[in-house]
Amino acid sequence: MSKERIKISPDLYDIMPSDYQDLVQSATYGKEDRGWKDIGTSKELIEQHSLCAGCPESMAFRYILASLPNPEDTVMVGSTGCTSLVFPMVAVHNIHSLFGNQNAIASGLKRALSVRFPDRVKDVVVLAGDGATVDIGLDMTLQAWFRQEKFTTICFDNELYANTGGQESGLMQKGFVAKMAPVGKLFDKVRLPEIARESGCHYVVNCTVSKPSLVEKVIRNSVLIAREIGPTYIQLYTPCILEIGKNSMEGLQEMRDSEKPTERFAYKEYISEPAKQLLAELAAKDKERKAAAKQLAGKA
Amino acid sequence: MTQYRVLPGPEHFLPPAAASMGIYLPNPGEAHINGVIVPEEKAYEEAARQFLMAQVPTIFPGPLVLWAWNEKAAKKAAAVRKLYDILKECVQPGQKPMLIPMPDYRPKYPKINPEVEINPNHPNLTIWHNKIDCCMFIGVHCHQANLSLKIIRGGTSCYTVAMCAQAGHEDAMLSFRDASVEKILKLGEWIRKLKGTVKPRLTTAKTSASN
């Protein structure tokens, strides 16, 4: 859908709930430099959600939705998990896949969109939890990367199966004892970012969502690289405060503690050579555009 | 021929799809009332009568008319507004016509505001809250309308009318097909024509008490 189509019929405008009027009037669809700084001054693309109070996943959702470069022409693919409780409240096209199937669905979707809209940029972004990405859906995740499918995979890593009570997942850290995994994890956290790099992803980042500007940069890069070059993978630590015994206010600190240099979510980034070149070109164009705009503003 | 009739509910928790009970859709130029195929003209009269009889006659415009996808959609929206204005003109004191949108099909969590919208996944909430006893769906995609109409038939006593742009809805108590601006306005004309000839079923304090 193009942003020009997001218009309310004038004769029925007054009966539309205010959320929709706000979306049309002040959401950042079509804004070139959209980003997390729009939060608070424009209508966000996420309405009320049913996540727990203080859940870092809700922060992640807000930053990601604020950072998508092309939300009016983006389709997100979700999977079973806490994220699937949020997608109904997101004002971006989205599909709920069977548990683990998300990268297979996204592959077909991306190809179909390319055929249906050959002249328009359509982005596909997978957003799923660690169970869907690394355990149940690992086959689909890897095969999509092997095939060099042009979409972004985002994994919300909370290191366990949160909404079913705390079972062990592949991304759980070694030795961690969860409510439904009383023995403690016996082997290491799966090193999916490294696997992603070796499987052909052109941009891989492992980080937390404690810094919105960083999340914005990472999401923007990953979508733009996936659009032009090939698969990208972002692993974001979104701790489940309930399952690790924290209070609502402690999610942010938990992420800060986990991103220290020696910790498992210390910022790691891999960019392939073609992706580096693309980012450099985009940065140069952006600089040129901003300079021209500044000049124009000066003349006015 | 089936004996099943699509009647106001509450039918039960999971009412059968009317199609599975042998109800079939009208051909062009026809409509159905309670599952019986009738000439379209008869359906206009019956729909107008139901609207004028109802205490809270309501129009539910869906995304296909609420959003200006194209010029045709905006024109239909204008016709829906006109129909609502006619309805307001023609009802008697005590009747309360409503125009409640169904902006999209996302399930509403944590809860819907039934005063301002209806959602196809739990339409009964809006109907119960506003005490709607006759409603018309227009501009709702067929699969969502079918879902909604079945839920309404299952859990409420509301009379349902479908002004469908495709082949009609078996699960509505009355269904038009091939909806257009002209057809919407024609229903308005019928409401005007029957104005003052239909006795509304109003609940007064006295009748409530006696019930």
Side-chain angles (χ1 to χ4, degrees):
Chain A
M1 178 167 51
S2 158
K3 64 180 182 300
E4 283 76 33
R5 290 204 174 181
I6 308 174
K7 281 189 293 196
I8 298 172
S9 292
D11 286 278
L12 297 176
Y13 187 88
D14 60 322
I15 62 161
M16 279 294 241
S18 55
D19 297 342
Y20 295 89
Q21 293 177 353
D22 292 347
L23 270 176
V24 174
Q25 279 171 5
S26 69
T28 51
Y29 296 114
K31 184 181 167 192
E32 205 160 3
D33 293 318
R34 64 190 307 277
W36 75 275
K37 285 180 181 164
D38 297 323
I39 293 175
T41 56
S42 63
K43 173 71 177 168
E44 286 184 60
L45 304 189
I46 180 169
E47 206 24 71
Q48 296 169 334
H49 59 76
S50 51
L51 296 175
C52 307
C55 175
E57 198 167 274
S58 63
M59 290 165 63
F61 253 108
R62 295 178 73 185
Y63 299 156
I64 290 169
L65 289 169
S67 309
L68 291 173
N70 193 24
E72 64 276 13
D73 280 306
T74 297
V75 185
M76 300 184 80
V77 183
S79 195
T80 307
C82 294
T83 55
S84 50
L85 302 174
V86 181
F87 272 115
M89 305 317 294
V90 165
V92 173
H93 282 297
N94 60 80
I95 295 176
H96 179 76
S97 66
L98 278 178
F99 204 173
N101 265 2
Q102 62 281 350
N103 279 42
I105 301 271
S107 302
L109 180 65
K110 179 69 187 180
R111 292 177 188 198
L113 289 171
S114 317
V115 174
R116 174 68 181 79
F117 302 99
D119 305 325
R120 202 183 297 169
V121 174
K122 291 277 183 183
D123 296 321
V124 173
V125 175
V126 168
L127 200 165
D130 48 312
T133 309
V134 183
D135 293 343
I136 296 163
L138 185 63
D139 179 8
M140 277 62 79
T141 306
L142 292 182
Q143 295 291 345
W145 293 343
F146 298 158
R147 292 192 305 266
Q148 291 287 291
E149 302 287 353
K150 288 182 167 179
F151 62 83
T152 298
T153 305
I154 302 172
C155 172
F156 276 3
D157 179 7
N158 57 14
E159 303 195 301
L160 42 67
Y161 287 81
N163 68 353
T164 48
Q167 292 82 7
E168 177 180 313
S169 91
L171 289 187
M172 183 185 271
Q173 52 184 309
K174 190 177 181 181
F176 191 83
V177 174
K179 286 178 194 159
M180 298 246 182
V183 176
K185 177 96 176 280
L186 297 175
F187 56 94
D188 280 324
K189 184 178 174 76
V190 173
R191 297 204 296 268
L192 198 62
E194 291 166 47
I195 296 172
R197 190 190 65 200
E198 295 304 318
S199 305
C201 284
H202 290 269
Y203 184 69
V204 180
V205 169
N206 179 54
C207 65
T208 78
V209 295
S210 70
K211 300 182 185 74
S213 51
L214 184 69
V215 177
E216 178 186 316
K217 184 195 93 175
V218 163
I219 296 300
R220 211 177 156 78
N221 284 350
S222 65
V223 172
L224 296 175
I225 292 169
R227 190 188 285 173
E228 301 294 335
I229 299 174
T232 55
Y233 174 63
I234 310 299
Q235 188 165 318
L236 298 172
Y237 183 41
T238 54
C240 175
I241 45 180
L242 295 186
E243 294 299 333
I244 60 173
K246 302 272 180 184
N247 291 323
S248 301
M249 298 301 287
E250 294 172 333
L252 184 59
Q253 193 55 49
E254 165 63 21
M255 290 190 284
R256 284 177 179 156
D257 292 343
S258 308
E259 66 191 3
K260 289 174 181 163
T262 54
E263 291 294 333
R264 61 199 188 287
F265 287 97
Y267 185 79
K268 281 182 211 140
E269 181 183 67
Y270 163 75
I271 315 179
S272 72
E273 282 309 316
K276 273 182 196 166
Q277 205 178 329
L278 175 75
L279 289 180
E281 284 167 18
L282 291 173
K285 272 187 199 163
D286 203 36
K287 203 173 165 184
E288 224 170 87
R289 182 176 60 81
K290 280 179 181 163
K294 205 173 170 183
Q295 213 172 13
L296 203 68
K299 274 182 193 169
Chain B
M1 192 178 161
T2 180
Q3 296 302 305
Y4 185 82
R5 290 290 172 263
V6 191
L7 300 170
E11 190 161 336
H12 50 70
F13 180 54
L14 286 172
S20 73
M21 302 304 286
I23 303 297
Y24 57 91
L25 293 170
N27 286 318
E30 295 175 334
H32 87 73
I33 301 175
N34 302 129
V36 178
I37 304 296
V38 295
E40 205 169 55
E41 211 62 26
K42 195 173 174 190
Y44 284 118
E45 185 179 349
E46 179 62 15
R49 194 178 300 281
Q50 290 292 340
F51 267 133
L52 292 171
M53 259 198 309
Q55 193 160 6
V56 188
T58 303
I59 302 170
F60 292 132
L64 290 169
V65 294
L66 285 169
W67 296 93
W69 307 104
N70 48 42
E71 209 180 322
K72 199 173 155 191
K75 280 184 181 163
K76 269 192 187 170
V80 168
R81 171 61 79 169
K82 193 157 185 197
L83 177 65
Y84 175 61
D85 291 340
I86 293 172
L87 193 54
K88 279 198 295 186
E89 272 169 42
C90 295
V91 293
Q92 296 182 24
Q95 286 178 289
K96 189 188 166 196
M98 296 186 86
L99 180 60
I100 299 180
M102 185 188 283
D104 61 23
Y105 307 131
R106 299 178 292 172
K108 296 289 164 121
Y109 296 121
K111 72 176 189 68
I112 193 171
N113 181 351
E115 283 176 14
V116 300
E117 63 181 316
I118 181 169
N119 185 272
N121 305 289
H122 32 71
N124 46 330
L125 301 181
T126 298
I127 286 173
W128 285 335
H129 182 87
N130 298 294
K131 299 185 171 52
I132 295 167
D133 51 350
C134 176
C135 69
M136 185 175 91
F137 278 55
I138 178 159
V140 179
H141 287 88
C142 292
H143 51 294
Q144 300 288 353
N146 276 340
L147 167 76
S148 233
L149 290 164
K150 263 184 68 181
I151 295 172
I152 294 171
R153 205 166 89 243
T156 80
S157 58
C158 182
Y159 189 94
T160 52
V161 178
M163 181 61 86
C164 176
Q166 307 287 329
H169 287 283
E170 307 96 335
D171 284 300
M173 278 131 232
L174 187 155
S175 177
F176 296 96
R177 56 167 295 158
D178 307 317
S180 61
V181 169
E182 292 72 29
K183 288 192 180 189
I184 298 166
L185 296 178
K186 193 165 180 186
L187 178 57
E189 282 167 26
W190 266 98
I191 291 173
R192 274 211 179 106
K193 198 169 162 184
L194 296 186
K195 180 185 175 183
T197 66
V198 180
K199 195 178 168 200
R201 42 169 187 265
L202 296 178
T203 315
T204 62
K206 197 177 167 188
T207 55
S208 301
S210 64
N211 287 338

